[in-house]
């Protein structure tokens, strides 16, 4: 791949001055690819974490305990109403200061890396919205459907996992799609705690090579591509899960 | 002492098959301060079909739901196979395994096919092997005359077809008693017949059935006993022939004249 495109971009630079160095200099190429890989992992794991938090949060909100409900409500308020960048900084610098260091044989490293902090922080940020999204989905599942499951002797947990959640998930999916796309875009903020994702790595490239416009363009294209793929995937899921004979 | 067949169920061990399978005694039920059931007593014997009729709001659905433990009661007793439904020690699951219920609005699981709707509870609750359950589910779907619709989703079925899937779904749990709450009330006249046919077959096979219905012709033909309720009390009851021709209470007569 690299061998194939390198001559073209080298030539392009020599003739026009457009410096897409990540496509012809092996060192910068590796930096770029590793940035992409880390961004994709960050997007994937943040989404997974936010979904888990969303499911359990929504479940906790339907719990009897007012304390539990109050805690989840406070969590949602706190994380929906503060900027995600501040949240990242808070987690990394404020909480990070209290996490133990591990001996790596001579030097010390924090137990939780900046990458892990980014996933935790972004998962919690996206999760705050997912709790609300799932909760309204759960509320839209008719009581009578749950009651039918109850009358068939299914346990509370079985009713939740086999009836309520699958239906709530389908109802939630359009709103969820929006939030997950927004979360995918927000992962670029991990830049502020030095996670070497694509924004961070391209920033290093353009600092070294003074080719800001070209690298910015790449960054844009990367996010356009990733977000359209994610959206296409989620819309495909929406169509796949659509209930035959319902709604349309 | 006559020879008695003992119930196999662990709870209600004193119950024998010659006693009422469902027994209500002075049942009172309130929603908040509103008393909806004001002392209902009735007995249903094994294999009997009883119909409960009465104006809308008279507490018929509430009564049915209490027998299944979906609603609790404030006073009185409901026993199923000798077991007190409102006993706080009673595991509701044991009760519900004996009592199947079919609702007016079918309440199928819209994200599951007809076959999966029927299979779900036996697989999850009774933990029976999937293969066995599938065989039984297919047989039940055939029994309610829906062969070929196994893989249809509820949204792709008519109301009457959905209702028959709901009946099959209940039967898959092998209940001893079936409760039907106005199961034909939401259906088109043409599809009412096929659902009633299914229930009639069940009754003729000896299933104990408690039906809330407005289908008087059906009640007259299938029921062993008819109960008329109004404002939370049983106004009048009797075998259908007597009930429909010689009703003595003016409220019953008025209701029958409106509906027949
Ligand atoms: N969940 C409930 N909360 C409060 N009132 C209820 C509830 N369900 C039913 N009711 C009231 O109880 C009465 C009897 O209702 P129901 O049992 O549904 O009657 P029926 O099935 O005979 O039409 C009605 O007046 C109804 O408004
Ligand atoms: Mg009713």
């Amino acid at each position: 791949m690299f061998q194939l495109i390198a001559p073209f971009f080298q030539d392009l630079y020599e003739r026009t001055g457009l410096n897409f160095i990540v496509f012809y200099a092996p060192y910068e190429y590796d930096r770029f690819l590793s940035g992409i890989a880390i961004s994709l992992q960050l997007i994937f794991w943040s989404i997974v974490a936010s979904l888990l938090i969303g499911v359990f949060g929504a479940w906790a909100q339907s719990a009897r305990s007012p304390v539990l409900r109050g805690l989840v409500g406070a969590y949602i308020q706190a994380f929906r109403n503060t900027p995600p960048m501040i949240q990242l900084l808070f987690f990394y610098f404020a909480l990070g200061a209290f996490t133990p260091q591990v001996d790596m044989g001579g030097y010390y490293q924090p137990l939780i890396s900046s990458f892990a902090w980014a996933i935790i922080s972004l998962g919690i940020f996206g999760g705050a919205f997912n709790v609300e999204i799932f909760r309204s989905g759960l509320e839209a599942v008719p009581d009578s459907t749950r009651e039918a499951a109850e009358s068939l002797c299914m346990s509370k947990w079985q009713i939740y996992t086999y009836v309520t959640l699958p239906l709530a998930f389908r109802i939630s999916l359009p709103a969820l799609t929006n939030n997950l796309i927004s979360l995918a875009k927000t992962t670029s903020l991990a830049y502020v705690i030095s996670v070497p994702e694509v924004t961070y790595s391209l920033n290093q490239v353009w600092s070294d090579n003074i080719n800001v416009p070209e690298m910015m363009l790449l960054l844009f294209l990367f996010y356009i591509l990733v977000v359209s793929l994610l959206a296409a995937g989620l819309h495909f899921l929406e169509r796949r899960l659509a209930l035959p004979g319902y709604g349309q | 002492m006559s020879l008695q067949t003992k119930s196999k169920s662990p709870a209600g061990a004193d119950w024998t098959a010659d006693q009422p399978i469902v027994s209500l005694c002075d049942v009172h039920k309130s929603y908040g301060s509103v008393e909806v059931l004001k002392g209902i007593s009735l007995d249903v014997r094994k294999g009997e079909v009883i119909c409960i009729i009465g104006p809308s709001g008279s507490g018929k659905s509430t009564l049915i739901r209490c027998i299944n433990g979906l609603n609790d009661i404030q006073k009185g007793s409901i026993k199923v196979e000798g077991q007190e439904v409102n006993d706080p020690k009673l595991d509701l699951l044991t009760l519900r395994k004996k009592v199947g219920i079919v609702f007016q609005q079918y309440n199928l699981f819209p994200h599951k096919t007809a076959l999966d709707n029927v299979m779900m509870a036996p697989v999850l609750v009774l933990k029976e092997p999937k293969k066995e359950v599938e065989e039984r589910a297919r047989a039940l779907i055939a029994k309610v005359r829906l062969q070929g619709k196994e893989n249809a989703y509820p949204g792709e079925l008519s109301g009457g077809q959905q209702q028959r899937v709901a009946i099959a779904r209940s039967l898959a749990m092998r209940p001893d008693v079936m409760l039907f709450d106005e199961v034909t009330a939401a259906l088109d006249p043409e599809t009412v017949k096929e659902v009633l046919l299914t229930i009639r077959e069940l009754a003729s096979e000896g299933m104990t059935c408690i039906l809330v219905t407005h289908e008087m012709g059906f009640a007259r033909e299938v029921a062993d006993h008819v109960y008329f309720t109004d404002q939370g009390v049983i106004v009048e009851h009797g075998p259908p022939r007597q009930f429909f021709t010689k009703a003595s209470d003016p409220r019953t007569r008025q209701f029958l004249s409106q509906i027949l």
Side-chain angles (χ1 to χ4, degrees), chain A residues 147 150-151 153 158 162 244, chain B residues 65 96 101 111 124 153 156:
Chain A
E147 217 159 54
E150 201 183 316
S151 75
C153 313
Q158 287 171 337
Y162 289 93
Chain B
R65 294 163 55 87
R96 292 202 178 118
I101 184 165
H111 59 304
L124 290 177
Y153 284 85
E156 299 167 323

Side-chain angles (χ1 to χ4, degrees), chain A residues 144-155 158 162-164 166-167 170 243-246, chain B residues 65 68 70 93 96-97 101 103 107-111 120-121 124-125 127 153 155-156 169 173:
Chain A
S144 55
T145 308
R146 262 194 294 274
E147 217 159 54
E150 201 183 316
S151 75
L152 288 166
C153 313
M154 288 167 64
S155 69
Q158 287 171 337
Y162 289 93
V163 179
T164 312
L167 289 173
R170 286 166 167 87
L243 300 176
Y246 262 75
Chain B
R65 294 163 55 87
N68 190 248
L70 282 171
L93 293 190
R96 292 202 178 118
K97 278 177 201 158
I101 184 165
F103 304 91
N107 302 341
L108 292 177
F109 307 126
H111 59 304
M120 193 145 139
L124 290 177
V125 178
K127 315 264 186 246
Y153 284 85
E156 299 167 323
R169 181 177 68 172
M173 292 297 282

Side-chain angles (χ1 to χ4, degrees), chain B residues 31-32 34 36 54-63 71 181-182 212 229:
Chain B
Y31 291 112
V34 186
V36 176
S56 172
S58 60
K60 306 180 299 294
S61 297
T62 305
L63 183 64
N71 287 349
D181 186 8
E182 297 200 44
V212 173
T229 60

Side-chain angles (χ1 to χ4, degrees), chain B residues 6-200:
Chain B
K6 281 267 177 189
S7 156
K8 268 176 280 169
S9 59
D14 300 336
W15 183 77
T16 53
D18 60 346
Q19 291 167 349
I21 190 164
V22 176
S23 177
L24 278 68
C25 185
D26 193 31
V27 171
H28 290 256
K29 160 77 189 168
S30 309
Y31 291 112
S33 61
V34 186
E35 194 167 45
V36 176
L37 301 180
K38 302 166 186 160
I40 300 270
S41 300
L42 62 84
D43 282 347
V44 186
R45 297 191 165 274
K46 196 165 167 41
E48 256 187 340
V49 176
I50 71 153
C51 284
I52 301 170
I53 62 173
S56 172
S58 60
K60 306 180 299 294
S61 297
T62 305
L63 183 64
I64 289 272
R65 294 163 55 87
C66 287
I67 298 174
N68 190 248
L70 282 171
N71 287 349
D72 56 352
I73 60 173
Q74 273 75 48
K75 190 169 160 247
S77 112
I78 300 177
K79 284 187 178 157
V80 174
E81 294 186 356
Q83 219 181 318
E84 180 58 54
V85 173
N86 279 72
D87 184 349
K89 285 184 304 242
L90 166 68
D91 179 9
L92 265 180
L93 293 190
T94 1
L95 166 77
R96 292 202 178 118
K97 278 177 201 158
K98 295 179 196 158
V99 182
I101 184 165
V102 184
F103 304 91
Q104 181 174 338
Q105 292 299 339
Y106 346 121
N107 302 341
L108 292 177
F109 307 126
H111 59 304
K112 297 280 176 190
T113 61
L115 185 66
D116 286 339
N117 261 278
V118 178
M119 288 177 60
M120 193 145 139
V123 171
L124 290 177
V125 178
L126 306 179
K127 315 264 186 246
E128 292 177 295
K130 247 194 160 128
K131 255 188 103 177
E132 257 170 54
V133 175
E134 184 175 336
E135 232 167 80
R136 188 160 92 243
R138 285 185 186 281
L140 282 168
I141 288 177
K143 185 186 167 76
V144 299
R145 299 190 170 73
L146 284 174
Q147 253 157 332
K149 296 287 183 193
E150 287 84 355
N151 295 321
Y153 284 85
E156 299 167 323
L157 297 172
S158 76
Q161 291 172 329
Q162 289 189 59
Q163 195 56 291
R164 283 179 283 154
V165 175
I167 294 173
R169 181 177 68 172
S170 260
L171 291 175
M173 292 297 282
R174 296 195 243 256
D176 295 339
V177 180
M178 285 288 286
L179 310 173
F180 296 90
D181 186 8
E182 297 200 44
V183 292
T184 58
L187 302 179
D188 310 325
E190 311 96 74
T191 53
V192 167
K193 261 191 246 149
E194 36 189 48
V195 173
L196 292 183
L197 188 64
T198 300
I199 299 175
R200 188 182 317 224

Side-chain angles (χ1 to χ4, degrees), chain A residues 52-234:
Chain A
L52 288 176
I53 291 171
V55 170
F56 284 102
W59 188 60
Q61 274 216 322
S62 66
R64 286 231 182 87
S65 153
V67 178
L68 194 56
R69 282 206 308 267
L71 281 176
V72 178
Y75 151 64
I76 293 170
Q77 287 307 314
F79 284 88
R80 278 171 53 135
N81 297 327
T82 49
M85 186 169 90
I86 306 298
Q87 293 169 17
L88 274 161
L89 292 172
F90 172 79
F91 274 98
Y92 187 61
F93 290 109
L95 296 187
F98 297 103
T99 55
Q101 307 269 317
V102 270
D103 192 341
M104 300 294 286
Y107 67 101
Y108 285 85
Q109 256 194 352
L111 183 63
I112 302 175
S113 65
S114 64
F115 177 72
W117 273 121
I119 288 169
I120 293 170
S121 172
L122 290 164
I124 287 176
F125 168 69
F129 291 86
N130 285 350
V131 172
E132 288 280 85
I133 290 170
F134 284 140
R135 192 183 55 119
S136 56
L138 289 172
E139 280 171 4
V141 176
D143 275 341
S144 55
T145 308
R146 262 194 294 274
E147 217 159 54
E150 201 183 316
S151 75
L152 288 166
C153 313
M154 288 167 64
S155 69
K156 279 220 158 66
W157 180 248
Q158 287 171 337
I159 295 173
Y160 191 68
T161 51
Y162 289 93
V163 179
T164 312
L165 213 51
L167 289 173
F169 184 71
R170 286 166 167 87
I171 298 165
S172 308
L173 207 45
L176 190 65
T177 300
N178 287 340
N179 187 42
L180 295 186
I181 285 171
S182 153
L183 181 61
K185 292 186 286 190
T186 308
T187 57
S188 66
L189 285 181
Y191 167 82
V192 301
I193 57 169
S194 313
V195 176
E197 45 73 74
V198 69
T199 314
Y200 186 91
S201 59
L202 283 179
N203 176 280
Q204 286 185 320
V205 174
W206 76 56
S207 305
D208 290 354
N209 301 286
I210 327 292
N211 55 349
V212 180
E214 293 92 329
M215 294 303 98
M216 276 293 178
L217 182 66
L218 271 189
L219 197 52
F220 257 111
L221 290 176
F222 169 76
Y223 276 106
I224 288 172
L225 188 69
V226 167
V227 168
S228 7
L229 283 178
L230 183 63
L234 287 166

